[in-house]
Amino acid sequence: QVQLVESGGGLVQPGGSLRLSCVASGIDFRFYAMGWYRQAPGKQRELVARITFDANAIPADSVKGRFTISRDNTKNTVYLQMNSLQPEDTAVYYCNAVFVKNNYWGQGTQVIVSS
């Protein structure tokens, strides 16, 4: 059974930082491209950042310079370090794993940026 379990979300003040984690099980993690997506209320889910199986990190333009995606294949974990958070970063953040036709999602973790 494939599971992607996100953690690390919460309430943070503008300008603050959070680190999200996503632990994968039931897949051969080293072969999967991993991604973080987010969905704000009333908006479509959007890509935040992705990282290839060989650790090539590709952030979306909207978060470039503030968010960093990384992976640890020894822990089957992908991270999203989020700095300089702004209210518009408020959303549910989802972990995604893709390999060929396999495409899996986590349940999401809530991030709220508010003073």
Side-chain angles (χ1 to χ4, degrees):
Q1 182 181 359
V2 178
Q3 281 193 310
L4 301 178
V5 180
E6 302 100 333
S7 63
L11 173 64
V12 63
Q13 292 187 341
S17 297
L18 284 175
R19 187 175 83 153
L20 307 183
S21 299
C22 169
V23 180
S25 59
I27 61 173
D28 197 336
F29 182 81
R30 57 191 169 149
F31 294 121
Y32 278 72
M34 301 299 296
W36 286 98
Y37 288 72
R38 67 186 180 187
Q39 188 166 17
K43 295 187 176 181
Q44 289 189 331
R45 192 172 296 190
E46 64 173 356
L47 176 66
V48 176
R50 57 190 177 94
I51 187 166
T52 63
F53 75 99
D54 55 352
N56 181 26
I58 307 165
D61 288 343
S62 59
V63 304
K64 200 169 291 184
R66 299 190 300 125
F67 292 9
T68 303
I69 188 171
S70 61
R71 66 189 296 157
D72 185 343
N73 288 355
T74 67
K75 297 180 179 180
N76 285 8
T77 301
V78 61
Y79 303 98
L80 185 68
Q81 177 66 45
M82 305 187 294
N83 299 327
S84 302
L85 283 160
Q86 300 302 317
E88 54 265 33
D89 296 315
T90 295
V92 177
Y93 285 70
Y94 297 91
C95 178
N96 175 250
V98 176
F99 175 63
V100 191
K101 294 182 179 180
N102 298 326
N103 191 343
Y104 304 110
W105 293 90
Q107 292 298 306
T109 185
Q110 177 76 58
V111 172
I112 300 173
V113 185
S114 175
S115 55

